[in-house]
Amino acid sequence: MISADLAHAYPELILAIGALALLVAGAFAPKQTTLVGGGAVVLLLVAAFAAATQPLGVAFSGALVTDAAAAFSKVAIYLASAVAIPLGQPWFERRGVKTFEFPVLIVLAALGMGMMASSGDLISLYVGVELHSLALYVLAAMHRDNAKASEAGLKYFVLGALSSGLLLYGSSLIYGFAGSTLYSDIAVAAGQQANTGLLFGLIFVICGLAFKVSAAPFHMWTPDVYEGAPTPVVAFFAAAPKLAAMVLFARVLGDAFPAAAGQWQQVLVVIALASVAVGAFAGLVQSNLKRLWAYSSIANVGYAVLGLASGTSEGVQAMLMFMVLYMIDVTGFFACLTALSRQGRSMETIEDMAGLIKERPALALAMTVFALSALGLPPFSGFWAKFYVFKAALDAGLWGPAVIGLVGSVVAAFYYLRLIKAMWFDSSAGATDRPPVEAKTVAVGLALFAFPLVLVALTWLDPAVAKAAHAFGLA
Amino acid sequence: MDPKVLVTIILFGPLIGAITAGLFGRRIGDKASMGVTTGFLFLSAILSWVVFSQWTWGHLEPFTVTYAPFIHVGDFISNWAFRLDGLSAVMLVVVTTVSSLVHLYSWGYMADDPSKPRFFAYLSLFTFAMLSLISAADFMQLFFGWEGVGLASYLLIGFWHHKDTANAASIKAFVVNRVGDFGFALGIMTCFWAFGTIEFAKLFPLIEASVGKGWDFAGGYFSLIDLACALLFVGAMGKSAQFFLHTWLPDAMEGPTPVSALIHAATMVTAGVYMVCLLSPMFEYAPVAKTIVTVIGAVTALFAATVGLTQNDIKRVIAYSTCSQLGYMFFAAGVGAYQAAMFHLFTHAFFKALLFLGAGSVIHGMAHEQDMRRYGALQKYLPITYAVMTIGTIAITGLGIPFLDWGFAGFYSKDAIIHAAYSAGGAGHPVGYFAFFIGVLVAGLTAFYSWRVAFFTFNGHARWTPEDLEQHWHNRDHAHDAVHDDHAHGHAQHETHDEPLPEAHHGHGHGDHLPHESPWTMRIPLLVLSVGAIAAGFAFHHQFIGEHNGEFWKGAIFNAPAEHAAGHHYPLWVVLAPIVASVGGLLIAAYMYIWREGLGAKLAANNGLLYVFFYNKWFFDELYQATFVRAAKFLGDLFWKGGDQKLIDGLGPDGVSALSVQVGKGAGRLQSGYVYHYAFVMLLGVAGLLTFALWAWAA
């Protein structure tokens, strides 16, 4: 029995034991950061393989669910985490922060995110959320000599604690009214009668999770943390944790409250539109690219939530597709920022990017691709992502929200185009440093995915995502 | 050769030249471009004379060649065609002869211009458009040619497009012609609406039957044919620069002088006269329209002549002279003397082209000075130009010996017009007498300003110095060092109007910068045209306006039977009046500019009321500026600033973007950086969502 359960938890076990082993290894050989980093990447890749091949089912009395959705999201999360290590570690070392904890923390965060993706009850939900959050708090403050980074870490931690409280309070309400922490039991309880107490609990859980995906009005931490945290850490922040939290969102709503879809749909629409609006309008006045992309991520999460708000399997599929494609875009964009510096100083503002096309044509081209993709211009990947979302929303009859979402997309187009204009048409702001090869490779590789590889990738992503979406309890 | 083949070659030769020089001019080079366009034009001119001589002395009958359908929509049928009759035969020789001579003249005049292929392509394109205009068998092709010559005129006036004044003049010409063309288009539509056809051959027989059709509208009676003719005449007014729509013609002198000679003197501006004569079967049944034509023509003749008295720019004087002579042609047509109008058109083409090209030769010799106050005593330096200009002046003033019936070209045609006006007055049309008196008066004015040009330029004392000229050359070389040529001739880019010279820098007193005679490419056209100016009247007056002119026109011109009654028997004073007026003008001019040199300048300096009125062209430009231009600008501003910028942009793009930025700033202000603010917003969010959820679920 226990061995059968463990078979469903291979990816988690690999990451947990591996992380501990790396920690021990690091403790004895603190200089061997590259070795630890390499080990972490290997661990994540092995875990991804294990996640892809593990048996489907439930384990630990339903606390751990390993279905197609869990497998798909875990593979995506582990791969995104694996990319973060070679992107981040050299960056820290160039700035004199030679710590072996960075890769270990990434692995632990990945472990927590994996658990979120396959959580089957409220307890595993909370454990997963806390495990990855704690790792992220530390990561944000990793550059601890830097005041801004420390501030970012602290803010994130305090506000994260508040959201944890909301999550926990909601969970306790649900438990109190449903009599169980298992999603399947809650679904039964919620299906029998629309209990206001239960739904109150759900709202609190939604609020807690909205904080994790940085959806409005729980987005306030995002710009500050993105600006303050080290760039490669942001590259990680903006990608995998968002996917994990969105999958968790889908799990709670789809597995535990499918019967209350009519109710949570309305709440999600409000959150989605508020996010799109905040992301689009507040981004207009930003000049710091990391802040700007924080608002961009708020807006984009809004679209993902809008997909989920459709309340259908198609909506979940759209959300998953959107998040995967968005993850690639945002990682690539921050990889560009990681790669760029001028006389050792990071280039973070739009003015810094003036005339980049002459200085660093490959990176400028990659950033142009990411900006156009975020804008949703066909045939870049961002267009397909938005296409899925709007199609799902329209099929679910959400005409009004879809139109408002499109308007937000038009407004946001301004700041993406402003960046492109600065890079292509403004006069150069001076010579830049040679970009590090690993960041540049990641940036260019992901840009190539955003266009044109995406056109090929969609042919196998589409069925995989559809299969994953069907694992949830939505029609 | 078959005349149908001949006319086809005549028509399409210039087009081939235009396409070759226009599209491949850069590849084949300047010389080849000039050669091919000029060659085709001379071919057309020679063939035109062949056709014309067959028409005049042979037994050529009118015919129409149809090339291809143009527009066939329902009942609206229009074909590309060539209609040869008496009118188009005359126009053929006028257009191709002047055009070919102008092409040749331009070899010398435009020698230093960097874009010769373009210039020659435009000239040939103009010629093609003009030929398609005169050969049209229906209104549609007439309109095509009408617009085609308008386009070529626009392109050539603005040929020196780096000159602001040239651009402004080309736009002015285009816009003013739009007004005329609007009337023209309405006239064509009226014809199609009323008669169901726009083909001349089918339309004209229908006219007589529709006499008496009309409407009572707004308290007045409008006859159908009068209305159609009046609208068509508006088109003619625009193209032929008649009173009210004349303002573009003097400004059109911004174009190179050969262009002025070809388009704005000899051919295009006469298209209006040609059209009225062509439509004589319609106008003969439109008494009101004819009266309008007469009055407008006479007023134009007077107006332009008075303005011409006072102008100092040599080209402008000749431009107003053209305007005035066109007025003669129109009132001739208005009183029913279409033959005389066409005859004057024919002779005028020769002597006016001659005057313009002669003026160009003077301008060329004087280093592009156009102000006659800076001329004087040039007969010694420009003997050939002096001779031909004098011939042209004699021709335009219509000097001749009445009783021997011998004189220069203008003598025949102008006197015929004035006499026709008198007889129309006798036949019960009071406007005929009005036109007659104005015609005689203008004959005197014409003589005065024409001789003024001649005397002011060639006689008297030199009002220039070699230093002035050197300075002019110097300026010109500087302005165009891109095209460097030590013996630079004929660079007309410094043509100025009524503008004083920049202060001459003295001290460059080396070199012999004296006026010089033009090259042979410019002299030959002058000599050929001189022959025309001398003999065109004498040689052809029997055919055009003689007793048996019906044999020449072969039905192309229609005269209502009543108009034939007045014969050629005029009182002696009527016969003598034009020549007396003309000689009087000559004597006054001689008195003011030779015997009492400086009297003219003194008169001008007095700034008498009449002088100021004439000098400022009756204040027409100011009037139009104050009314039409200001009103149009006001409306434009209203729609642009009020409608577009304030209303549409303000509420639309600008307003929305400003609002977006405001919203963004507001959202940014919320981002205070304080954790407790953030936590507060989060809790507000929770409370808000809970409230919303309760409200939404209750509903």
Side-chain angles (χ1 to χ4, degrees):
Chain A
M1 182 67 195
I2 191 82
S3 63
D5 281 351
L6 288 178
H8 286 289
Y10 276 153
E12 282 80 5
L13 288 173
I14 291 167
L15 289 179
I17 297 168
L20 293 176
L22 286 176
L23 210 52
V24 173
F28 283 100
K31 302 285 175 207
Q32 301 297 327
T33 50
T34 316
L35 202 66
V36 176
V41 171
V42 171
L43 270 184
L44 286 166
L45 293 179
V46 171
F49 178 77
T53 54
Q54 70 185 344
L56 302 184
V58 289
F60 301 109
S61 318
L64 191 75
V65 182
T66 54
D67 53 11
F72 175 80
S73 12
K74 274 187 209 174
V75 171
I77 290 166
Y78 295 159
L79 290 181
S81 307
V83 170
I85 294 169
L87 198 60
Q89 209 167 18
W91 189 90
F92 279 112
E93 285 176 10
R94 279 198 301 277
R95 280 157 183 77
V97 185
K98 207 168 160 70
T99 51
F100 65 89
E101 287 92 345
F102 175 75
V104 180
L105 283 167
I106 297 266
V107 171
L108 287 173
L111 172 60
M113 291 188 280
M115 287 184 70
M116 285 159 76
S118 57
S119 76
D121 75 353
L122 295 173
I123 305 289
S124 57
L125 174 153
Y126 188 70
V127 171
V129 167
E130 284 306 293
L131 182 54
H132 104 282
S133 293
L134 284 168
L136 293 189
Y137 302 150
V138 181
L139 279 172
M142 194 81 194
H143 203 182
R144 61 187 174 203
D145 297 337
N146 185 316
K148 265 193 163 177
S150 309
E151 183 194 331
L154 197 60
K155 268 185 188 162
Y156 193 20
F157 175 66
V158 171
L159 295 172
L162 180 61
S163 82
S164 273
L166 293 175
L167 199 59
L168 214 47
Y169 182 56
S171 302
S172 66
L173 275 177
I174 291 170
Y175 173 65
F177 282 94
S180 170
T181 58
L182 266 181
Y183 294 163
S184 46
D185 292 347
I186 298 170
V188 173
Q192 281 162 355
Q193 54 179 56
N195 190 314
T196 310
L198 202 58
L199 294 177
F200 248 68
L202 175 61
I203 299 284
F204 276 97
V205 171
I206 288 175
C207 292
L209 289 177
F211 176 87
K212 294 295 166 199
V213 297
S214 67
F218 309 98
H219 65 280
M220 302 291 275
W221 61 276
T222 323
D224 288 12
V225 172
Y226 275 32
E227 189 188 354
T231 309
V233 172
V234 179
F236 175 61
F237 266 25
K242 295 277 194 292
L243 174 64
M246 284 307 301
V247 172
L248 185 55
F249 234 136
R251 280 232 181 274
V252 174
L253 298 175
D255 288 354
F257 292 92
Q263 278 87 347
W264 53 254
Q265 227 183 337
Q266 293 166 327
V267 178
L268 285 197
V269 166
V270 171
I271 292 178
L273 295 186
S275 304
V276 168
V278 165
F281 284 102
L284 292 178
V285 291
Q286 305 301 327
S287 63
N288 184 298
L289 281 171
K290 282 161 82 182
R291 276 189 95 83
L292 179 56
W293 241 254
Y295 284 108
S296 158
S297 85
I298 293 169
N300 278 302
V301 159
Y303 293 116
V305 174
L306 184 64
L308 203 54
S310 308
T312 58
S313 180
E314 192 195 357
V316 176
Q317 184 190 344
M319 180 275 284
L320 283 175
M321 181 64 92
F322 186 91
M323 285 313 293
V324 168
L325 294 179
Y326 172 67
M327 252 167 60
I328 289 166
D329 272 359
V330 80
T331 309
F333 181 79
F334 280 107
C336 291
L337 288 190
T338 308
L340 286 168
S341 63
R342 181 171 284 138
Q343 288 152 6
R345 212 174 43 80
S346 302
M347 294 162 61
E348 291 188 356
T349 64
I350 290 185
E351 292 81 60
D352 284 339
M353 300 300 167
L356 194 69
I357 192 69
K358 292 201 192 74
E359 283 291 322
R360 298 280 165 215
L363 282 172
L365 213 56
M367 274 168 88
T368 307
V369 168
F370 294 130
L372 289 176
S373 177
L375 192 158
L377 193 79
F380 296 96
S381 63
F383 164 74
W384 302 107
K386 282 200 177 114
F387 176 77
Y388 275 90
V389 166
F390 285 121
K391 186 167 177 297
L394 292 180
D395 286 349
L398 298 177
W399 286 89
V403 169
I404 297 175
L406 274 175
V407 170
S409 177
V410 170
V411 174
F414 167 76
Y415 49 69
Y416 299 125
L417 292 176
R418 187 155 72 122
L419 172 65
I420 293 173
K421 180 239 169 202
M423 289 193 297
W424 286 77
F425 303 114
D426 290 358
S427 52
S428 176
T432 57
D433 301 333
R434 236 181 94 80
V437 65
E438 72 288 337
K440 190 175 173 182
T441 309
V442 170
V444 172
L446 294 182
L448 284 176
F449 180 87
F451 183 79
L453 287 181
V454 67
L455 299 177
V456 183
L458 276 176
T459 56
W460 57 262
L461 257 180
D462 185 61
V465 168
K467 199 174 147 203
H470 283 300
F472 295 101
L474 289 169
Chain B
M1 211 191 293
D2 186 358
K4 292 180 182 175
V5 179
L6 285 186
V7 295
T8 308
I9 298 172
I10 293 170
L11 176 63
F12 288 104
L15 179 65
I16 296 169
I19 291 173
T20 312
L23 298 184
F24 310 105
R26 277 173 192 283
R27 199 156 313 158
I28 61 177
D30 287 357
K31 277 276 180 294
S33 306
M34 291 152 68
V36 73
T37 48
T38 313
F40 271 115
L41 247 302
F42 270 94
L43 177 68
S44 282
I46 291 164
L47 295 182
S48 296
W49 278 102
V50 170
V51 171
F52 183 71
S53 60
Q54 283 183 19
W55 179 268
T56 312
W57 296 288
H59 301 284
L60 200 54
E61 288 302 312
F63 63 84
T64 300
V65 198
T66 303
Y67 296 117
F70 182 10
I71 299 174
H72 284 192
V73 180
D75 296 336
F76 191 90
I77 306 289
S78 170
N79 292 310
W80 296 112
F82 197 109
R83 170 189 53 84
L84 187 83
D85 60 11
L87 287 165
S88 58
V90 171
M91 291 303 281
L92 269 185
V93 291
V94 169
V95 171
T96 54
T97 306
V98 177
S99 181
S100 55
L101 292 174
V102 163
H103 270 77
L104 179 62
Y105 182 88
S106 302
W107 282 59
Y109 197 83
M110 303 297 283
D112 299 334
D113 200 278
S115 17
K116 283 193 276 283
R118 186 163 63 93
F119 182 77
F120 281 83
Y122 287 169
L123 278 187
S124 283
L125 176 70
F126 165 79
T127 312
F128 167 72
M130 191 70 204
L131 289 173
S132 65
L133 188 163
I134 60 175
S135 63
D138 59 31
F139 272 118
M140 208 58 217
Q141 189 183 327
L142 184 69
F143 195 67
F144 166 81
W146 200 265
E147 295 304 305
V149 293
L151 169 71
S153 162
Y154 165 78
L155 292 172
L156 283 165
I157 295 170
F159 180 73
W160 288 317
H161 50 76
H162 45 76
K163 232 168 64 168
D164 286 343
T165 47
N167 286 333
S170 63
I171 291 169
K172 188 173 179 181
F174 209 77
V175 170
V176 174
N177 270 295
R178 258 357 51 208
V179 178
D181 292 349
F182 183 62
F184 189 25
L186 287 180
I188 296 173
M189 291 174 209
T190 309
C191 286
F192 179 70
W193 172 73
F195 302 107
T197 180
I198 55 164
E199 202 177 320
F200 300 138
K202 289 182 186 154
L203 175 64
F204 293 156
L206 301 175
I207 301 293
E208 194 170 1
S210 68
V211 173
K213 275 192 195 167
W215 311 269
D216 284 307
F217 178 74
Y221 176 77
F222 291 87
S223 141
L224 169 67
I225 302 175
D226 270 326
L227 181 73
C229 287
L231 287 171
L232 291 166
F233 177 61
V234 171
M237 280 168 70
K239 194 61 71 192
S240 295
Q242 291 301 287
F243 201 60
F244 296 125
L245 295 180
H246 64 274
T247 52
W248 66 272
L249 183 58
D251 287 18
M253 298 302 126
E254 288 288 345
T257 304
V259 172
S260 310
L262 173 61
I263 300 183
H264 306 120
T267 56
M268 183 188 84
V269 290
T270 62
V273 180
Y274 170 75
M275 181 179 79
V276 173
C277 294
L278 173 68
L279 301 180
S280 55
M282 289 178 73
F283 275 88
E284 282 299 280
Y285 291 105
V288 179
K290 274 177 76 179
T291 307
I292 295 173
V293 173
T294 312
V295 172
I296 292 280
V299 171
T300 308
L302 178 66
F303 156 77
T306 56
V307 175
L309 298 177
T310 57
Q311 301 301 310
N312 292 318
D313 182 309
I314 185 166
K315 277 180 75 182
R316 281 202 176 223
V317 178
I318 304 177
Y320 279 107
S321 161
T322 305
C323 204
S324 174
Q325 300 299 314
L326 289 168
Y328 270 113
M329 297 174 209
F330 272 110
F331 80 65
V335 299
Y338 305 101
Q339 290 88 341
M342 282 306 291
F343 190 36
H344 196 54
L345 188 162
F346 179 73
T347 57
H348 173 259
F350 290 106
F351 59 71
K352 188 48 63 70
L354 173 64
L355 284 172
F356 256 118
L357 294 183
S361 177
V362 175
I363 293 166
H364 178 256
M366 287 296 284
H368 298 283
E369 176 60 73
Q370 284 180 225
D371 191 332
M372 291 189 296
R373 288 169 297 187
R374 304 261 167 185
Y375 291 170
L378 291 178
Q379 54 178 330
K380 175 164 76 174
Y381 302 99
L382 308 170
I384 293 173
T385 308
Y386 170 60
V388 298
M389 284 286 274
T390 307
I391 289 170
T393 308
I394 295 174
I396 193 175
T397 55
L399 286 186
I401 306 162
F403 301 107
L404 289 182
D405 205 19
W406 191 93
F408 279 47
F411 169 73
Y412 296 93
S413 53
K414 191 190 288 182
D415 285 16
I417 287 174
I418 293 172
H419 296 158
Y422 179 78
S423 50
H429 299 289
V431 288
Y433 284 132
F434 171 70
F436 167 74
F437 284 115
I438 286 188
V440 173
L441 173 62
V442 171
L445 298 177
T446 306
F448 175 79
Y449 68 66
S450 301
W451 286 112
R452 172 174 175 261
V453 169
F455 296 150
F456 216 18
T457 304
F458 295 106
N459 300 93
H461 294 95
R463 293 176 299 276
W464 47 272
T465 62
E467 286 82 14
D468 287 342
L469 289 184
E470 191 210 359
Q471 183 62 26
H472 251 210
W473 289 116
H474 183 73
N475 286 348
R476 201 215 43 174
D477 285 345
H478 262 265
H480 298 283
D481 44 9
V483 272
H484 186 73
D485 184 352
D486 283 344
H487 297 286
H489 297 296
H491 219 290
Q493 260 126 325
H494 268 256
E495 287 179 336
T496 52
H497 298 288
D498 298 336
E499 289 170 8
L501 283 172
E503 272 312 308
H505 289 217
H506 295 287
H508 287 276
H510 53 81
D512 50 344
H513 292 281
L514 292 173
H516 57 86
E517 191 57 89
S518 304
W520 65 267
T521 47
M522 291 168 68
R523 267 180 269 162
I524 287 177
L526 290 174
L527 296 172
V528 173
L529 287 170
S530 304
V531 175
I534 295 171
F538 173 71
F540 292 105
H541 73 286
H542 284 300
Q543 279 79 14
F544 277 71
I545 53 170
E547 292 288 350
H548 304 290
N549 68 58
E551 290 164 21
F552 175 73
W553 296 109
K554 291 178 190 147
I557 290 177
F558 172 77
N559 290 100
E563 306 287 342
H564 271 303
H568 285 281
H569 307 293
Y570 307 105
L572 184 62
W573 68 276
V574 172
V575 176
L576 289 180
I579 189 78
V580 169
S582 188
V583 171
L586 161 63
L587 292 177
I588 298 172
Y591 177 74
M592 281 175 66
Y593 293 96
I594 296 182
W595 299 325
R596 287 288 168 86
E597 201 186 344
L599 190 61
K602 250 182 260 165
L603 272 180
N606 277 344
N607 271 335
L609 207 60
L610 209 54
Y611 173 81
V612 171
F613 186 60
F614 290 163
Y615 184 73
N616 289 298
K617 311 142 205 166
W618 294 24
F619 293 104
F620 254 97
D621 281 336
E622 287 75 8
L623 182 71
Y624 283 177
Q625 184 72 27
T627 54
F628 297 119
V629 178
R630 287 270 298 275
K633 241 179 126 85
F634 171 77
L635 273 182
D637 273 357
L638 188 73
F639 287 128
W640 170 42
K641 290 190 175 143
D644 193 44
Q645 287 192 333
K646 283 211 185 102
L647 211 68
I648 295 174
D649 281 358
L651 297 182
D654 289 351
V656 169
S657 62
L659 190 70
S660 300
V661 172
Q662 281 307 316
V663 170
K665 280 185 180 153
R669 218 169 290 137
L670 284 178
Q671 204 77 30
S672 61
Y674 295 113
V675 172
Y676 55 88
H677 281 167
Y678 295 2
F680 183 61
V681 171
M682 281 173 67
L683 293 178
L684 273 184
V686 173
L689 279 180
L690 279 173
T691 316
F692 169 77
L694 280 180
W695 171 78
W697 295 340

